[in-house]
Amino acid sequence: MDRYICIHGHFYQPPRENPWLEFVEREDSAHPYHDWNERITYECYAPNGASRILNGDRHIIAIVNNYSKISFNFGPTLLGWMEKNFPWVYESLLAADQVAMKNFNGHGSAIAQVYNHVIMPLASYRDKKTQVLWGIRDFERRFKRFPEGMWLPETAVDMETLEVLAESGIKFTILAPHQAGRVRPLEGGNWVNITAASLDKKKAYLCRLPSGREIAIFFYDGPIAQDVAFGGLLQDGKLYAQRLVAAFEEEDYPQLVNVATDGETYGHHHRFGDMALAYCIYSIESQGLAKMTVYGEFLEKFPPQDEVEILENTSWSCAHGVKRWCDDCGCSTGSHPGWNQKWRRPLRQAVESLSKDVSRIYEDLSKGLLSDPWSARDDYVEVVLDRTVENVEGFFRRNAAKELAGGEKVVALKLLEMTRNAMLMFTSCGWFFDDISGIETAQIMKYAARAIQLAKEAGGRDLEGNFMHMLEEAKSNDPTAGDGRAIYERAVLPKVLDLSRVCAHGVMSSMFIDGKGNGEREIYCYRLKSLELKSLGSGKFIMNMGKASVHSTITWEEALLQFASCYIGGLQLFCGVSGYADEISYREMLKGLQIAFENHDVPDMVRKMDRHFGGRTFTLKHLFRDEQCTIVNNLVEDVLDVIMITYEELYDTHYPAMKLLNELNIPLPDAFRATVDVVLSGKLNAILESPNIDLEELAKVCGEIKEWNVAIDRHHVSRIASERVSSLLKDFKERKEDFDLIFEAGQIIELLTQINVTLDLWKAQNIYFDIVADMLRHGRPLEGNVLNAMKRLGLLLGVMFPV
């Protein structure tokens, strides 16, 4: 068969980490998820690793890993986040690549991507090289092989970028059809100008570069890709397959129908898009319509017979080339008709000017520290991937100009981190959307702020004034947002932190979250070690005082600090931190604050903290976002408990009256309605969160909720109940004879269905499918009530149980 199909998914999210914490903080716009990475993982990345194929009755008959059947790339920064936060999804990607290598003659399904999604034609030559090299090194660490291909962000391309790819050993890349300029046979002849419509997209082309190097290019089928993303093609996997097959020519020659889309199309942008993709591939393979392949395999079997010249400075998502990332070209999401993007040019100018300043500072200050500064930056990705002390020391052995002292290593690491953040601030999403006030643009400003801070700390150079001045020209379409400077001051500067704030966070959070003020603890990318701790009081009047050291695992910067933190009830929490000067002044601070605390003299405590800490005090608003939410919830928990007791007393007292009104079909007064909703919702949550669920009590409460038509938080109930069902099945998988777990899981689903709670059974389905497959492999007979329970649970989960 000479008919091949390759579906490529570009899976990517911009780096979202707080640059001072190396952690993605809570993003309220992603609610009910913690952040957008987590949300899209649940909606897209995880489902594609275990996608469902359904029969005519909408029951699951197979669960497949889509990544093993398609070509894909994941952004390196996204993979780094996923490895830490969703290792089971991350492992599904690595496993898929291994399976693909077996199925596609040694060619994996994964290809690389330049590191943090910069628009390559707009990048400097030096940044181009680093971006490609970091992308390759990251790929090699994860997939344990050299990447054959590399995805260019937004498929934005110029000849210099292709030169860097070819020089680095990359065999091919993928472009949009309108990025081809002209073609001719490899053996020579006249060039033929082509359009996206006239280009033959079913084969590989060779691009000969000015240096004499070569790189293969695949051009994806634009109309099909457009219909996948926007035309409703993912509503039916069979239709998707038919559309792909229909693209073949009648001629009998090796043809590759290939399509490339955002990977998030398969599940995030289109719900159940992963299942449409799975069924599409299933239809193609089961009916022998074509052979699924990946670009590397096709390239090896059918090398290019034609060469192509590309149209430089073009991309797949901007009709004007690459202006979407530097100018008001008219390209936007379309969400805000009438808005302009004039802010793009001054923002681009601001970060480019800052990048040039950073490069000069890096070159100047790294002299005598690093033997070859830019080669060292290229190698620095090895540190980014593994920040253990042993690995960092190995980096210095390879790149240091001499034996570096401890302070010199700190300066070198700060300079390297400065250049890393300077690259991160060019991440494309900062310009892609409709306004400068978006979270994506605020994120690249945070990277800029981190680079500015490190430049000042490492070399005393203050770059912030000029940067903020240039941002003044970037005007938001939202009059309440102001200009780029206002956004920077409001959304970025409050995030800037130093070791004193890290210490304050650690001290304040330890008073409420884990209660461990002593010893050493990790605070994101810092280590806080308590050297002395004195605790006074209890309950709603507490003070912790002492001294501690704070160490950055990124820059190796350290500080010895003294602190005092006081909680005086409600949400009144404050902390002072300063550098440890000497033992005499430190002891004076401890003594003075202890006297004020024991006298319950809060004004005197505040005065003494101001004096000892120079006005450098912190409150709840200075805590990092995730712990801030946790602590605030802890502080109001007692109040909520009292309120709940009051509601329960009202419920018990007025139950007969409410019952009568309900029987007479008379609407409950608002006060009664609120009482019923709060009490029964609370009971339901308490039952589902208890270590052992009382099924009789659950049935009773569900009945009352149905009778009273209670307004429950269905998403919250679904989340905890879904996790509970998954946990029961996981326990059964380990304790195969405890069939009570199967009964319990089924009853929970049935009872909650009665009150219109739709559970997310994705995890439970995966586990159940594995359980059944294991039973079939080992020939375990089931009969009677056990067999009926397994079948019943399969029906509830939507999984076909083999009779």
Side-chain angles (χ1 to χ4, degrees), residues 188-259:
N190 295 326
W191 287 100
V192 177
N193 294 325
I194 45 87
T195 65
S198 63
L199 173 70
D200 183 356
K201 298 170 281 293
K202 291 182 285 297
K203 57 184 178 181
Y205 292 85
L206 191 71
C207 184
R208 288 171 169 155
L209 305 173
S211 65
R213 298 185 182 91
E214 301 173 339
I215 188 169
I217 298 179
F218 291 91
F219 296 93
Y220 66 82
D221 190 303
I224 298 179
Q226 185 77 4
D227 285 347
V228 170
F230 307 108
L233 203 54
L234 291 185
Q235 293 179 8
D236 186 336
K238 186 177 181 180
L239 180 64
Y240 188 7
Q242 291 172 347
R243 180 68 185 280
L244 290 168
V245 172
F248 287 110
E249 302 289 344
E250 291 296 328
E251 291 85 349
D252 187 18
Y253 70 95
Q255 301 175 57
L256 175 72
V257 172
N258 78 106
V259 61

Side-chain angles (χ1 to χ4, degrees), residues 597-632:
F597 180 84
E598 290 175 346
N599 291 333
H600 283 64
D601 191 342
V602 174
D604 189 35
M605 287 166 53
V606 172
R607 286 192 297 270
K608 287 179 177 177
M609 288 186 73
D610 283 340
R611 184 173 79 249
H612 288 295
F613 299 111
R616 189 77 196 276
T617 55
F618 303 88
T619 63
L620 272 174
K621 70 178 182 179
H622 294 101
L623 288 168
F624 308 146
R625 180 63 173 163
D626 286 66
E627 288 79 7
Q628 185 183 65
C629 293
T630 300
I631 290 172
V632 169

Side-chain angles (χ1 to χ4, degrees), residues 101-245:
M101 291 184 70
K102 296 177 182 177
N103 293 338
F104 301 129
N105 297 308
H107 300 276
S109 51
I111 68 172
Q113 178 202 290
V114 299
Y115 190 72
N116 66 274
H117 216 265
V118 303
I119 300 303
M120 293 292 274
L122 297 176
S124 67
Y125 175 69
R126 186 177 287 131
D127 281 359
K128 283 185 173 80
K129 290 192 66 174
T130 302
Q131 285 285 317
V132 170
L133 181 59
W134 281 27
I136 290 173
R137 295 270 191 91
D138 186 275
F139 185 95
E140 288 179 308
R141 175 187 176 273
R142 302 183 191 285
F143 293 95
K144 309 304 180 188
R145 63 180 179 84
F146 191 88
E148 295 182 275
M150 177 166 278
W151 181 265
L152 297 176
E154 306 291 341
T155 72
V157 69
D158 61 355
M159 292 301 286
E160 188 175 71
T161 297
L162 294 181
E163 286 279 15
V164 173
L165 293 182
E167 181 184 7
S168 302
I170 297 298
K171 293 180 181 179
F172 69 86
T173 191
I174 309 158
L175 299 180
H178 64 260
Q179 293 180 272
R182 57 182 188 167
V183 299
R184 70 175 180 181
L186 281 182
E187 61 268 18
N190 295 326
W191 287 100
V192 177
N193 294 325
I194 45 87
T195 65
S198 63
L199 173 70
D200 183 356
K201 298 170 281 293
K202 291 182 285 297
K203 57 184 178 181
Y205 292 85
L206 191 71
C207 184
R208 288 171 169 155
L209 305 173
S211 65
R213 298 185 182 91
E214 301 173 339
I215 188 169
I217 298 179
F218 291 91
F219 296 93
Y220 66 82
D221 190 303
I224 298 179
Q226 185 77 4
D227 285 347
V228 170
F230 307 108
L233 203 54
L234 291 185
Q235 293 179 8
D236 186 336
K238 186 177 181 180
L239 180 64
Y240 188 7
Q242 291 172 347
R243 180 68 185 280
L244 290 168
V245 172

Side-chain angles (χ1 to χ4, degrees), residues 730-748:
K730 186 177 180 182
D731 289 345
F732 176 76
K733 192 176 180 180
E734 297 173 356
R735 307 198 305 266
K736 296 181 174 60
E737 303 304 322
D738 192 353
F739 285 96
D740 286 343
L741 298 170
I742 296 296
F743 288 103
E744 183 175 342
Q747 285 189 274
I748 291 172

Side-chain angles (χ1 to χ4, degrees), residues 325-326 342-360 421-422 425-426 431 436 441 444-445 447-449 451-452 463-475 483-485 488:
W325 299 276
C326 62
K342 293 179 181 179
W343 54 270
R344 285 176 177 159
R345 181 180 293 180
L347 176 65
R348 171 66 61 171
Q349 292 171 341
V351 295
E352 286 182 344
S353 175
L354 177 58
S355 178
K356 290 176 183 177
D357 289 339
V358 163
S359 293
R360 284 192 290 267
N421 280 274
M425 70 185 180
F426 283 107
W431 288 266
I436 191 173
T441 309
I444 68 166
M445 289 186 188
Y447 291 123
I452 288 168
L463 306 177
E464 191 163 56
N466 183 60
F467 181 69
M468 292 173 67
H469 176 70
M470 296 184 75
L471 287 179
E472 292 174 2
E473 299 300 315
K475 310 295 184 183
D483 57 28
R485 178 178 186 136
Y488 182 83

